[in-house]
């Protein structure tokens, strides 16, 4: 029989640190994507404005 290896239990504080790190990294990524989307929307609006002239 194969013995399954289960993840080792971690302290609650360690779990919170890891969650916090994960959420901070996701937040950075989402802020970057939002800034890029905002920049692209402004670019498209400028193009539309030029087309309407």
């Amino acid at each position: 029989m194969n013995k399954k290896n289960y993840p080792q239990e971690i302290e609650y504080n360690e779990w919170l640190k890891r969650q916090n790190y994960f959420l901070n990294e996701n937040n950075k990524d989402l802020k970057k994507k939002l800034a890029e989307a905002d920049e692209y929307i402004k670019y498209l609006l400028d193009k539309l404005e030029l087309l309407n002239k």
Side-chain angles (χ1 to χ4, degrees):
M1 287 188 146
N2 289 341
K3 184 178 177 182
K4 283 191 175 187
N5 291 329
Y6 293 101
Q8 206 172 356
E9 282 189 36
I10 58 173
E11 295 288 325
Y12 182 66
N13 284 342
E14 181 61 27
W15 180 82
L16 283 177
K17 284 181 195 173
R18 291 179 188 187
Q19 286 293 102
N20 192 39
Y21 175 79
F22 173 76
L23 292 172
N24 279 328
E25 290 301 307
N26 275 350
N27 195 29
K28 282 186 223 172
D29 186 49
L30 289 172
K31 282 181 179 179
K32 179 183 170 196
K33 287 179 181 177
L34 182 59
E36 290 171 354
D38 189 47
E39 188 178 320
Y40 186 59
I41 288 168
K42 287 176 185 174
Y43 168 79
L44 291 175
L45 287 172
D46 288 344
K47 289 288 185 188
L48 276 174
E49 196 174 308
L50 288 173
L51 287 173
N52 286 331
K53 288 185 178 180

